[in-house]
Amino acid sequence: MPGRALSFGARAGAYEEFRPGYPAELGDLVLAYAGQPVRTALEIGAGTGKATRLFAGRGITVTATDPDGAMLAELRRQVPAEVRILRAAFEDLPPGERYELVYAAAALHWTEPRGRWSRMAGLVAPDGVFASFGGQVQLADPALRRAVDAARSPFLSSDEIPSPDGTPPEHHMQWPGTELQRSAWFADVRQSVIERRFTMSAADYVGYLSTVSAYLQLPEPAREQVFAGIRRVLPETVGIAADITVHLARRQPDR
């Protein structure tokens, strides 16, 4: 997992170009849950700043962190100058400063499980909010998904990341909500899903796949072969299902 977590910088430009951004509805959901003005936020694993822009655009002072210098270089080109940028992994963030909102956009699964929530609690102000959100970008047509699975199978059995705590996909509460519910530092855990449906060109969909860590781990010749095979089974335009699963929790007051 550490190697996969640091694989994205080689495709930072493609990550910015092909990965979908986050809708205003997500910002509305998080800030409504907060129930009070949010002035400061910390982002864990900011990547190229797609979620950074969502919250900085609401007038929030965002500190965007990521351990990958290439991703942060792209982020600097994309976000407002007021965003504070810090190159650091979650585990290396300096203690002491607390934020009214701490969030991770498709990044929390890359963090070290041991001590995750005690470290998180040290970053969130009492009664502040933690948010995690993300989801798979998938072909909406099941037949096309099967065709892509078959084209990928000589190289990868799957391109997805399994639930970090083994929660089955049919369970009513998904990770990280499951861990948050067991944490002594957080309460009022909520899970919501924002539905997203749109179309992409087949070339852009393959461009998206080129930013997925499972493919980035393949040797370059194998990547070229798998992408060529996937491209052959796709029509020129594809429907996409890219629902965002959102988990929210409130920091318990310090005791």
Side-chain angles (χ1 to χ4, degrees), residues 42-87:
L42 172 71
E43 181 172 5
I44 297 162
T48 65
K50 290 183 179 288
T52 316
R53 280 163 265 175
L54 178 68
F55 290 104
R58 303 293 182 103
I60 298 170
T61 300
V62 178
T63 298
T65 71
D66 199 285
D68 191 317
M71 296 293 273
L72 288 180
E74 183 66 34
L75 179 145
R76 284 187 179 91
R77 289 190 282 269
Q78 303 295 336
V79 303
E82 298 78 25
V83 172
R84 177 188 174 203
I85 298 170
L86 179 63
R87 184 176 180 178

mmCIF file of all heavy atoms in Angstrom, residues 42-87:
data_model
loop_
_atom_site.group_PDB
_atom_site.id
_atom_site.type_symbol
_atom_site.label_atom_id
_atom_site.label_comp_id
_atom_site.label_asym_id
_atom_site.label_seq_id
_atom_site.Cartn_x
_atom_site.Cartn_y
_atom_site.Cartn_z
ATOM 1 N N LEU A 42 -8.448 21.384 7.382
ATOM 2 C CA LEU A 42 -7.234 20.643 7.044
ATOM 3 C C LEU A 42 -7.620 19.528 6.089
ATOM 4 O O LEU A 42 -8.540 18.751 6.376
ATOM 5 C CB LEU A 42 -6.595 20.052 8.301
ATOM 6 C CG LEU A 42 -5.414 19.099 8.071
ATOM 7 C CD1 LEU A 42 -4.190 19.880 7.596
ATOM 8 C CD2 LEU A 42 -5.083 18.321 9.353
ATOM 9 N N GLU A 43 -6.932 19.438 4.971
ATOM 10 C CA GLU A 43 -7.188 18.362 4.017
ATOM 11 C C GLU A 43 -6.049 17.352 4.056
ATOM 12 O O GLU A 43 -4.870 17.716 3.940
ATOM 13 C CB GLU A 43 -7.338 18.905 2.598
ATOM 14 C CG GLU A 43 -7.641 17.804 1.586
ATOM 15 C CD GLU A 43 -7.992 18.327 0.209
ATOM 16 O OE1 GLU A 43 -7.906 19.554 0.005
ATOM 17 O OE2 GLU A 43 -8.361 17.509 -0.646
ATOM 18 N N ILE A 44 -6.405 16.086 4.182
ATOM 19 C CA ILE A 44 -5.443 14.990 4.220
ATOM 20 C C ILE A 44 -5.386 14.354 2.836
ATOM 21 O O ILE A 44 -6.403 13.918 2.298
ATOM 22 C CB ILE A 44 -5.862 13.951 5.268
ATOM 23 C CG1 ILE A 44 -5.847 14.569 6.668
ATOM 24 C CG2 ILE A 44 -4.968 12.717 5.216
ATOM 25 C CD1 ILE A 44 -6.627 13.787 7.688
ATOM 26 N N GLY A 45 -4.192 14.290 2.256
ATOM 27 C CA GLY A 45 -4.055 13.692 0.938
ATOM 28 C C GLY A 45 -4.747 14.496 -0.134
ATOM 29 O O GLY A 45 -5.608 14.008 -0.863
ATOM 30 N N ALA A 46 -4.357 15.765 -0.294
ATOM 31 C CA ALA A 46 -5.086 16.697 -1.146
ATOM 32 C C ALA A 46 -4.933 16.418 -2.638
ATOM 33 O O ALA A 46 -5.731 16.911 -3.440
ATOM 34 C CB ALA A 46 -4.632 18.133 -0.843
ATOM 35 N N GLY A 47 -3.911 15.671 -3.036
ATOM 36 C CA GLY A 47 -3.738 15.380 -4.456
ATOM 37 C C GLY A 47 -3.535 16.649 -5.260
ATOM 38 O O GLY A 47 -2.728 17.512 -4.920
ATOM 39 N N THR A 48 -4.301 16.805 -6.336
ATOM 40 C CA THR A 48 -4.173 18.002 -7.173
ATOM 41 C C THR A 48 -5.157 19.094 -6.768
ATOM 42 O O THR A 48 -5.279 20.097 -7.459
ATOM 43 C CB THR A 48 -4.370 17.656 -8.654
ATOM 44 O OG1 THR A 48 -5.712 17.208 -8.882
ATOM 45 C CG2 THR A 48 -3.382 16.592 -9.112
ATOM 46 N N GLY A 49 -5.873 18.896 -5.673
ATOM 47 C CA GLY A 49 -6.663 19.978 -5.110
ATOM 48 C C GLY A 49 -8.111 20.047 -5.553
ATOM 49 O O GLY A 49 -8.745 21.099 -5.430
ATOM 50 N N LYS A 50 -8.671 18.948 -6.004
ATOM 51 C CA LYS A 50 -10.070 18.992 -6.446
ATOM 52 C C LYS A 50 -11.016 19.297 -5.282
ATOM 53 O O LYS A 50 -11.936 20.107 -5.422
ATOM 54 C CB LYS A 50 -10.431 17.686 -7.150
ATOM 55 C CG LYS A 50 -9.730 17.546 -8.495
ATOM 56 C CD LYS A 50 -10.126 16.293 -9.223
ATOM 57 C CE LYS A 50 -9.410 16.202 -10.566
ATOM 58 N NZ LYS A 50 -9.914 17.164 -11.555
ATOM 59 N N ALA A 51 -10.813 18.659 -4.146
ATOM 60 C CA ALA A 51 -11.640 18.974 -2.980
ATOM 61 C C ALA A 51 -11.190 20.267 -2.311
ATOM 62 O O ALA A 51 -11.996 20.977 -1.703
ATOM 63 C CB ALA A 51 -11.607 17.826 -1.976
ATOM 64 N N THR A 52 -9.911 20.606 -2.436
ATOM 65 C CA THR A 52 -9.412 21.869 -1.891
ATOM 66 C C THR A 52 -10.220 23.036 -2.448
ATOM 67 O O THR A 52 -10.646 23.941 -1.717
ATOM 68 C CB THR A 52 -7.931 22.071 -2.270
ATOM 69 O OG1 THR A 52 -7.205 20.867 -2.080
ATOM 70 C CG2 THR A 52 -7.311 23.186 -1.450
ATOM 71 N N ARG A 53 -10.441 23.024 -3.761
ATOM 72 C CA ARG A 53 -11.167 24.110 -4.414
ATOM 73 C C ARG A 53 -12.602 24.203 -3.917
ATOM 74 O O ARG A 53 -13.155 25.294 -3.799
ATOM 75 C CB ARG A 53 -11.146 23.898 -5.929
ATOM 76 C CG ARG A 53 -9.851 24.326 -6.579
ATOM 77 C CD ARG A 53 -9.698 23.747 -7.968
ATOM 78 N NE ARG A 53 -8.925 22.517 -7.929
ATOM 79 C CZ ARG A 53 -8.709 21.732 -8.975
ATOM 80 N NH1 ARG A 53 -9.227 22.048 -10.145
ATOM 81 N NH2 ARG A 53 -7.987 20.645 -8.858
ATOM 82 N N LEU A 54 -13.203 23.049 -3.630
ATOM 83 C CA LEU A 54 -14.592 23.042 -3.169
ATOM 84 C C LEU A 54 -14.737 23.840 -1.879
ATOM 85 O O LEU A 54 -15.642 24.672 -1.744
ATOM 86 C CB LEU A 54 -15.058 21.598 -2.960
ATOM 87 C CG LEU A 54 -16.483 21.418 -2.438
ATOM 88 C CD1 LEU A 54 -17.495 21.844 -3.488
ATOM 89 C CD2 LEU A 54 -16.715 19.964 -2.027
ATOM 90 N N PHE A 55 -13.845 23.607 -0.917
ATOM 91 C CA PHE A 55 -13.981 24.253 0.387
ATOM 92 C C PHE A 55 -13.321 25.628 0.425
ATOM 93 O O PHE A 55 -13.836 26.546 1.067
ATOM 94 C CB PHE A 55 -13.445 23.334 1.477
ATOM 95 C CG PHE A 55 -14.316 22.131 1.692
ATOM 96 C CD1 PHE A 55 -13.944 20.884 1.204
ATOM 97 C CD2 PHE A 55 -15.532 22.244 2.334
ATOM 98 C CE1 PHE A 55 -14.761 19.778 1.370
ATOM 99 C CE2 PHE A 55 -16.364 21.156 2.508
ATOM 100 C CZ PHE A 55 -15.980 19.912 2.021
ATOM 101 N N ALA A 56 -12.216 25.805 -0.263
ATOM 102 C CA ALA A 56 -11.608 27.143 -0.329
ATOM 103 C C ALA A 56 -12.557 28.118 -1.011
ATOM 104 O O ALA A 56 -12.600 29.307 -0.662
ATOM 105 C CB ALA A 56 -10.274 27.080 -1.065
ATOM 106 N N GLY A 57 -13.347 27.619 -1.949
ATOM 107 C CA GLY A 57 -14.321 28.467 -2.628
ATOM 108 C C GLY A 57 -15.464 28.903 -1.751
ATOM 109 O O GLY A 57 -16.240 29.799 -2.133
ATOM 110 N N ARG A 58 -15.595 28.282 -0.580
ATOM 111 C CA ARG A 58 -16.625 28.703 0.388
ATOM 112 C C ARG A 58 -16.074 29.708 1.397
ATOM 113 O O ARG A 58 -16.725 30.000 2.401
ATOM 114 C CB ARG A 58 -17.155 27.472 1.145
ATOM 115 C CG ARG A 58 -17.725 26.352 0.272
ATOM 116 C CD ARG A 58 -18.998 26.772 -0.432
ATOM 117 N NE ARG A 58 -19.589 25.717 -1.225
ATOM 118 C CZ ARG A 58 -20.650 24.989 -0.870
ATOM 119 N NH1 ARG A 58 -21.239 25.216 0.287
ATOM 120 N NH2 ARG A 58 -21.135 24.064 -1.672
ATOM 121 N N GLY A 59 -14.880 30.212 1.160
ATOM 122 C CA GLY A 59 -14.296 31.182 2.071
ATOM 123 C C GLY A 59 -13.590 30.563 3.264
ATOM 124 O O GLY A 59 -13.237 31.278 4.209
ATOM 125 N N ILE A 60 -13.380 29.248 3.230
ATOM 126 C CA ILE A 60 -12.703 28.552 4.331
ATOM 127 C C ILE A 60 -11.192 28.606 4.112
ATOM 128 O O ILE A 60 -10.713 28.435 2.988
ATOM 129 C CB ILE A 60 -13.182 27.094 4.413
ATOM 130 C CG1 ILE A 60 -14.689 27.060 4.702
ATOM 131 C CG2 ILE A 60 -12.406 26.309 5.466
ATOM 132 C CD1 ILE A 60 -15.302 25.672 4.571
ATOM 133 N N THR A 61 -10.438 28.850 5.174
ATOM 134 C CA THR A 61 -8.979 28.823 5.104
ATOM 135 C C THR A 61 -8.529 27.364 5.157
ATOM 136 O O THR A 61 -8.620 26.718 6.199
ATOM 137 C CB THR A 61 -8.361 29.615 6.267
ATOM 138 O OG1 THR A 61 -8.813 30.971 6.198
ATOM 139 C CG2 THR A 61 -6.847 29.581 6.198
ATOM 140 N N VAL A 62 -8.060 26.862 4.019
ATOM 141 C CA VAL A 62 -7.727 25.439 3.892
ATOM 142 C C VAL A 62 -6.217 25.254 3.946
ATOM 143 O O VAL A 62 -5.464 25.954 3.253
ATOM 144 C CB VAL A 62 -8.268 24.853 2.572
ATOM 145 C CG1 VAL A 62 -7.869 23.383 2.433
ATOM 146 C CG2 VAL A 62 -9.789 24.999 2.501
ATOM 147 N N THR A 63 -5.778 24.289 4.756
ATOM 148 C CA THR A 63 -4.406 23.795 4.732
ATOM 149 C C THR A 63 -4.436 22.462 3.994
ATOM 150 O O THR A 63 -5.039 21.501 4.479
ATOM 151 C CB THR A 63 -3.841 23.614 6.145
ATOM 152 O OG1 THR A 63 -3.812 24.887 6.810
ATOM 153 C CG2 THR A 63 -2.432 23.048 6.100
ATOM 154 N N ALA A 64 -3.823 22.407 2.808
ATOM 155 C CA ALA A 64 -3.847 21.208 1.970
ATOM 156 C C ALA A 64 -2.537 20.461 2.129
ATOM 157 O O ALA A 64 -1.458 21.031 1.917
ATOM 158 C CB ALA A 64 -4.063 21.591 0.505
ATOM 159 N N THR A 65 -2.609 19.187 2.507
ATOM 160 C CA THR A 65 -1.405 18.394 2.747
ATOM 161 C C THR A 65 -1.379 17.175 1.836
ATOM 162 O O THR A 65 -2.419 16.616 1.483
ATOM 163 C CB THR A 65 -1.331 17.921 4.212
ATOM 164 O OG1 THR A 65 -2.331 16.907 4.446
ATOM 165 C CG2 THR A 65 -1.566 19.074 5.177
ATOM 166 N N ASP A 66 -0.172 16.773 1.470
ATOM 167 C CA ASP A 66 0.033 15.564 0.683
ATOM 168 C C ASP A 66 1.517 15.213 0.765
ATOM 169 O O ASP A 66 2.355 16.127 0.790
ATOM 170 C CB ASP A 66 -0.380 15.780 -0.783
ATOM 171 C CG ASP A 66 -0.620 14.478 -1.526
ATOM 172 O OD1 ASP A 66 0.367 13.798 -1.882
ATOM 173 O OD2 ASP A 66 -1.792 14.125 -1.744
ATOM 174 N N PRO A 67 1.855 13.922 0.780
ATOM 175 C CA PRO A 67 3.278 13.570 0.835
ATOM 176 C C PRO A 67 3.976 13.607 -0.513
ATOM 177 O O PRO A 67 5.204 13.488 -0.571
ATOM 178 C CB PRO A 67 3.251 12.137 1.388
ATOM 179 C CG PRO A 67 1.946 11.589 0.919
ATOM 180 C CD PRO A 67 0.987 12.748 0.962
ATOM 181 N N ASP A 68 3.221 13.762 -1.603
ATOM 182 C CA ASP A 68 3.771 13.657 -2.957
ATOM 183 C C ASP A 68 4.023 15.052 -3.524
ATOM 184 O O ASP A 68 3.092 15.814 -3.797
ATOM 185 C CB ASP A 68 2.780 12.892 -3.846
ATOM 186 C CG ASP A 68 3.375 12.494 -5.183
ATOM 187 O OD1 ASP A 68 4.066 13.333 -5.790
ATOM 188 O OD2 ASP A 68 3.132 11.355 -5.629
ATOM 189 N N GLY A 69 5.283 15.384 -3.730
ATOM 190 C CA GLY A 69 5.634 16.706 -4.214
ATOM 191 C C GLY A 69 5.100 17.010 -5.602
ATOM 192 O O GLY A 69 4.738 18.155 -5.894
ATOM 193 N N ALA A 70 5.034 16.005 -6.476
ATOM 194 C CA ALA A 70 4.528 16.235 -7.832
ATOM 195 C C ALA A 70 3.042 16.560 -7.810
ATOM 196 O O ALA A 70 2.561 17.408 -8.582
ATOM 197 C CB ALA A 70 4.793 15.009 -8.703
ATOM 198 N N MET A 71 2.299 15.903 -6.930
ATOM 199 C CA MET A 71 0.871 16.209 -6.815
ATOM 200 C C MET A 71 0.686 17.628 -6.281
ATOM 201 O O MET A 71 -0.173 18.387 -6.760
ATOM 202 C CB MET A 71 0.187 15.196 -5.911
ATOM 203 C CG MET A 71 0.202 13.770 -6.451
ATOM 204 S SD MET A 71 -0.792 13.557 -7.954
ATOM 205 C CE MET A 71 -2.402 13.204 -7.212
ATOM 206 N N LEU A 72 1.492 18.017 -5.306
ATOM 207 C CA LEU A 72 1.359 19.360 -4.743
ATOM 208 C C LEU A 72 1.772 20.431 -5.755
ATOM 209 O O LEU A 72 1.219 21.535 -5.746
ATOM 210 C CB LEU A 72 2.196 19.483 -3.478
ATOM 211 C CG LEU A 72 1.672 18.726 -2.255
ATOM 212 C CD1 LEU A 72 2.602 18.930 -1.062
ATOM 213 C CD2 LEU A 72 0.258 19.153 -1.895
ATOM 214 N N ALA A 73 2.721 20.108 -6.638
ATOM 215 C CA ALA A 73 3.094 21.073 -7.672
ATOM 216 C C ALA A 73 1.908 21.353 -8.587
ATOM 217 O O ALA A 73 1.660 22.503 -8.974
ATOM 218 C CB ALA A 73 4.278 20.544 -8.476
ATOM 219 N N GLU A 74 1.146 20.299 -8.921
ATOM 220 C CA GLU A 74 -0.055 20.490 -9.731
ATOM 221 C C GLU A 74 -1.122 21.236 -8.930
ATOM 222 O O GLU A 74 -1.810 22.114 -9.459
ATOM 223 C CB GLU A 74 -0.592 19.143 -10.197
ATOM 224 C CG GLU A 74 -1.802 19.217 -11.108
ATOM 225 C CD GLU A 74 -1.502 19.863 -12.446
ATOM 226 O OE1 GLU A 74 -0.385 19.703 -12.965
ATOM 227 O OE2 GLU A 74 -2.404 20.549 -12.982
ATOM 228 N N LEU A 75 -1.257 20.894 -7.648
ATOM 229 C CA LEU A 75 -2.226 21.583 -6.787
ATOM 230 C C LEU A 75 -1.956 23.087 -6.764
ATOM 231 O O LEU A 75 -2.890 23.882 -6.849
ATOM 232 C CB LEU A 75 -2.162 20.989 -5.381
ATOM 233 C CG LEU A 75 -3.088 21.606 -4.328
ATOM 234 C CD1 LEU A 75 -3.590 20.529 -3.360
ATOM 235 C CD2 LEU A 75 -2.396 22.699 -3.523
ATOM 236 N N ARG A 76 -0.690 23.472 -6.655
ATOM 237 C CA ARG A 76 -0.351 24.905 -6.598
ATOM 238 C C ARG A 76 -0.856 25.647 -7.832
ATOM 239 O O ARG A 76 -1.205 26.828 -7.761
ATOM 240 C CB ARG A 76 1.160 25.087 -6.473
ATOM 241 C CG ARG A 76 1.714 24.794 -5.096
ATOM 242 C CD ARG A 76 3.184 25.162 -4.997
ATOM 243 N NE ARG A 76 3.685 24.905 -3.659
ATOM 244 C CZ ARG A 76 4.243 23.750 -3.281
ATOM 245 N NH1 ARG A 76 4.385 22.764 -4.160
ATOM 246 N NH2 ARG A 76 4.657 23.588 -2.039
ATOM 247 N N ARG A 77 -0.877 24.954 -8.966
ATOM 248 C CA ARG A 77 -1.342 25.597 -10.197
ATOM 249 C C ARG A 77 -2.861 25.721 -10.257
ATOM 250 O O ARG A 77 -3.401 26.459 -11.087
ATOM 251 C CB ARG A 77 -0.849 24.797 -11.414
ATOM 252 C CG ARG A 77 0.642 24.900 -11.652
ATOM 253 C CD ARG A 77 1.021 24.299 -12.993
ATOM 254 N NE ARG A 77 1.069 22.851 -12.952
ATOM 255 C CZ ARG A 77 2.164 22.153 -12.659
ATOM 256 N NH1 ARG A 77 3.305 22.770 -12.375
ATOM 257 N NH2 ARG A 77 2.139 20.833 -12.656
ATOM 258 N N GLN A 78 -3.563 25.002 -9.372
ATOM 259 C CA GLN A 78 -5.013 24.889 -9.501
ATOM 260 C C GLN A 78 -5.805 25.605 -8.420
ATOM 261 O O GLN A 78 -6.990 25.885 -8.619
ATOM 262 C CB GLN A 78 -5.417 23.395 -9.504
ATOM 263 C CG GLN A 78 -4.753 22.553 -10.579
ATOM 264 C CD GLN A 78 -5.138 22.957 -11.979
ATOM 265 O OE1 GLN A 78 -6.195 23.552 -12.207
ATOM 266 N NE2 GLN A 78 -4.301 22.649 -12.961
ATOM 267 N N VAL A 79 -5.200 25.866 -7.273
ATOM 268 C CA VAL A 79 -5.977 26.366 -6.131
ATOM 269 C C VAL A 79 -5.701 27.837 -5.894
ATOM 270 O O VAL A 79 -4.693 28.386 -6.358
ATOM 271 C CB VAL A 79 -5.667 25.557 -4.854
ATOM 272 C CG1 VAL A 79 -5.931 24.075 -5.068
ATOM 273 C CG2 VAL A 79 -4.223 25.782 -4.393
ATOM 274 N N PRO A 80 -6.595 28.520 -5.157
ATOM 275 C CA PRO A 80 -6.356 29.932 -4.825
ATOM 276 C C PRO A 80 -5.056 30.118 -4.046
ATOM 277 O O PRO A 80 -4.619 29.229 -3.303
ATOM 278 C CB PRO A 80 -7.569 30.301 -3.978
ATOM 279 C CG PRO A 80 -8.616 29.299 -4.321
ATOM 280 C CD PRO A 80 -7.892 28.032 -4.644
ATOM 281 N N ALA A 81 -4.462 31.285 -4.206
ATOM 282 C CA ALA A 81 -3.182 31.564 -3.550
ATOM 283 C C ALA A 81 -3.296 31.531 -2.031
ATOM 284 O O ALA A 81 -2.294 31.333 -1.336
ATOM 285 C CB ALA A 81 -2.662 32.932 -4.007
ATOM 286 N N GLU A 82 -4.509 31.719 -1.508
ATOM 287 C CA GLU A 82 -4.691 31.754 -0.050
ATOM 288 C C GLU A 82 -4.558 30.382 0.597
ATOM 289 O O GLU A 82 -4.427 30.269 1.820
ATOM 290 C CB GLU A 82 -6.064 32.324 0.304
ATOM 291 C CG GLU A 82 -6.289 33.757 -0.143
ATOM 292 C CD GLU A 82 -6.596 33.864 -1.633
ATOM 293 O OE1 GLU A 82 -7.094 32.865 -2.205
ATOM 294 O OE2 GLU A 82 -6.313 34.919 -2.226
ATOM 295 N N VAL A 83 -4.624 29.308 -0.203
ATOM 296 C CA VAL A 83 -4.517 27.956 0.361
ATOM 297 C C VAL A 83 -3.102 27.738 0.885
ATOM 298 O O VAL A 83 -2.113 27.988 0.194
ATOM 299 C CB VAL A 83 -4.867 26.897 -0.699
ATOM 300 C CG1 VAL A 83 -4.566 25.489 -0.181
ATOM 301 C CG2 VAL A 83 -6.346 27.006 -1.092
ATOM 302 N N ARG A 84 -3.023 27.275 2.119
ATOM 303 C CA ARG A 84 -1.738 26.927 2.713
ATOM 304 C C ARG A 84 -1.399 25.499 2.289
ATOM 305 O O ARG A 84 -2.232 24.595 2.394
ATOM 306 C CB ARG A 84 -1.827 27.018 4.240
ATOM 307 C CG ARG A 84 -0.568 26.609 4.978
ATOM 308 C CD ARG A 84 -0.846 26.554 6.466
ATOM 309 N NE ARG A 84 0.276 26.043 7.227
ATOM 310 C CZ ARG A 84 0.171 25.500 8.434
ATOM 311 N NH1 ARG A 84 -1.021 25.413 9.018
ATOM 312 N NH2 ARG A 84 1.234 25.054 9.065
ATOM 313 N N ILE A 85 -0.183 25.268 1.803
ATOM 314 C CA ILE A 85 0.213 23.970 1.258
ATOM 315 C C ILE A 85 1.346 23.412 2.104
ATOM 316 O O ILE A 85 2.334 24.101 2.379
ATOM 317 C CB ILE A 85 0.637 24.102 -0.213
ATOM 318 C CG1 ILE A 85 -0.543 24.609 -1.052
ATOM 319 C CG2 ILE A 85 1.139 22.769 -0.761
ATOM 320 C CD1 ILE A 85 -0.176 25.004 -2.456
ATOM 321 N N LEU A 86 1.194 22.151 2.491
ATOM 322 C CA LEU A 86 2.171 21.510 3.360
ATOM 323 C C LEU A 86 2.468 20.113 2.831
ATOM 324 O O LEU A 86 1.550 19.293 2.679
ATOM 325 C CB LEU A 86 1.622 21.435 4.792
ATOM 326 C CG LEU A 86 2.497 20.779 5.858
ATOM 327 C CD1 LEU A 86 3.795 21.560 6.041
ATOM 328 C CD2 LEU A 86 1.737 20.689 7.184
ATOM 329 N N ARG A 87 3.725 19.856 2.531
ATOM 330 C CA ARG A 87 4.104 18.512 2.085
ATOM 331 C C ARG A 87 4.338 17.622 3.306
ATOM 332 O O ARG A 87 5.336 17.775 4.023
ATOM 333 C CB ARG A 87 5.358 18.560 1.214
ATOM 334 C CG ARG A 87 5.734 17.181 0.656
ATOM 335 C CD ARG A 87 6.909 17.233 -0.287
ATOM 336 N NE ARG A 87 7.211 15.898 -0.780
ATOM 337 C CZ ARG A 87 8.176 15.628 -1.669
ATOM 338 N NH1 ARG A 87 8.915 16.624 -2.155
ATOM 339 N NH2 ARG A 87 8.384 14.389 -2.061
#
